[in-house]
Amino acid sequence: MNTTKKERIAIVTGGSRGIGRAISKRLASDGQTVVIAYANNAIEADKTVESIIEEGGNAIAVKADISDEAAVSKLFDITEKDFGGVDIVVNSAGIMELNTIVNFNLDKLDRIIHTNIRGTFVVDQQAARRVRSGGAIINISTSVKKLALPTYAAYAASKGAVDAISLILAKELRGKDITVNAVAPGPTATELFFEGKNAETIDHLAKMNPIERLGAPEDIAEVVSFLAGPARWINGQTIYVNGGMI
C-alpha cells in the first residue's frame, strides 16, 4: 500500500479499545493513516480498523507486544514498508492492577513494570530512531499520580516513569524537530475504568472535577490530536486532561 509524501502516518499502540481506539479514530479523521498495534485482541483491533475505513479513513492492525524489542521493531518495519515512514507514535498500551502496597502481589508488580515502563521505553526507543522530522511522540500517563488514591501505587509509579522517559527523550531529540509529550487522563469512561467499581465509587470519581462528569475517550483523543498536529511548540510536557480535578 502506498501513500503520498503529504500524508502523515501514525502508530497507536493499544489502539484497539478504550482511549486507544478513540485516539486511533480521531487521528484517522484528521487525515492520518493509522497503524493499530494490539497485544492479543485481534477481533477488537479489526473492529476499529473497519470502523475507520467505513468512515473514510485508512488503517491497518498489527499484532505486537510492546515490551518485546523484536516485535516493536517489526511493527515499525511493517509501517515503513507499507506507508513509507512514521510521523506520529502514540503509546497508549498499558496495564493496571490495583491493591494496597502492603498486600500487592509482586509478580503483578513485575508485570506492570514490564509492560508500562519497559514497553514505553521500547516503543519510544524505536520511535526516536524512526520518526521523521516534524513528527511527534505521545505517551499516555495518568492523573492518578497527583491524586494519590489508595491501591494505585504500582500503576501510578509506572506512569511516573512514563513522564520521566517523555521529558528526557524530548531533550535527547534536540535538533530533530520531533516533539515528545505525555498525556495524563483523569477518570475516563472506558470498560477498564468501570471494571470492579460500584455506582457510588463511579459517581464520586465523576464529581471530583468541577465539571462533574467522567472524561470521555474522545476528550483524551482531542488533546492527542492537538499534540500530534498543530502543537509544535509544546514539548517535554505532561498534559493533565481531567476536567480540573487537580
Side-chain angles (χ1 to χ4, degrees), residues 25-148:
K25 294 184 69 173
R26 175 58 187 264
L27 294 181
S29 73
D30 291 342
Q32 298 188 34
T33 292
V34 180
V35 177
I36 296 167
Y38 67 96
N40 297 303
N41 200 328
I43 293 175
E44 291 299 322
D46 288 342
K47 285 181 180 178
T48 305
V49 169
E50 290 169 6
S51 177
I52 288 171
I53 292 173
E54 286 173 359
E55 294 172 7
N58 191 20
I60 64 169
V62 178
K63 185 175 182 178
D65 175 355
I66 64 167
S67 64
D68 183 332
E69 181 180 2
V72 173
S73 180
K74 184 178 179 180
L75 167 67
F76 278 77
D77 287 344
I78 291 170
T79 304
E80 290 175 339
K81 179 181 177 181
D82 285 2
F83 303 111
V86 182
D87 300 289
I88 309 297
V89 174
V90 182
N91 192 33
S92 180
I95 61 172
M96 180 169 60
E97 297 280 356
L98 303 180
N99 207 334
T100 59
I101 293 172
V102 70
N103 292 318
F104 208 91
N105 182 299
L106 295 182
D107 289 337
K108 291 183 177 180
L109 175 64
D110 290 342
R111 184 166 170 256
I112 289 173
I113 291 170
H114 191 74
T115 300
N116 295 3
I117 300 179
R118 178 185 166 88
T120 297
F121 201 100
V122 169
V123 171
D124 281 5
Q125 184 178 67
Q126 288 295 323
R129 293 169 178 171
R130 309 221 205 178
V131 168
R132 296 184 287 203
S133 179
I137 301 168
I138 303 158
N139 296 316
I140 301 301
S141 180
T142 180
S143 288
V144 80
K145 302 186 309 294
K146 288 188 175 183
L147 290 171

Side-chain angles (χ1 to χ4, degrees), residues 117-210:
I117 300 179
R118 178 185 166 88
T120 297
F121 201 100
V122 169
V123 171
D124 281 5
Q125 184 178 67
Q126 288 295 323
R129 293 169 178 171
R130 309 221 205 178
V131 168
R132 296 184 287 203
S133 179
I137 301 168
I138 303 158
N139 296 316
I140 301 301
S141 180
T142 180
S143 288
V144 80
K145 302 186 309 294
K146 288 188 175 183
L147 290 171
L149 296 176
T151 74
Y152 279 85
Y155 180 68
S158 73
K159 291 300 188 176
V162 169
D163 291 355
I165 292 168
S166 304
L167 172 58
I168 292 170
L169 182 57
K171 293 185 176 182
E172 290 179 348
L173 292 179
R174 174 182 292 274
K176 295 183 179 295
D177 191 23
I178 298 169
T179 61
V180 187
N181 294 287
V183 172
T188 305
T190 65
E191 290 181 17
L192 179 64
F193 170 78
F194 289 121
E195 186 176 326
K197 295 182 177 68
N198 58 35
E200 183 180 2
T201 299
I202 293 169
D203 185 61
H204 171 72
L205 290 170
K207 291 183 177 178
M208 286 181 70
N209 68 77

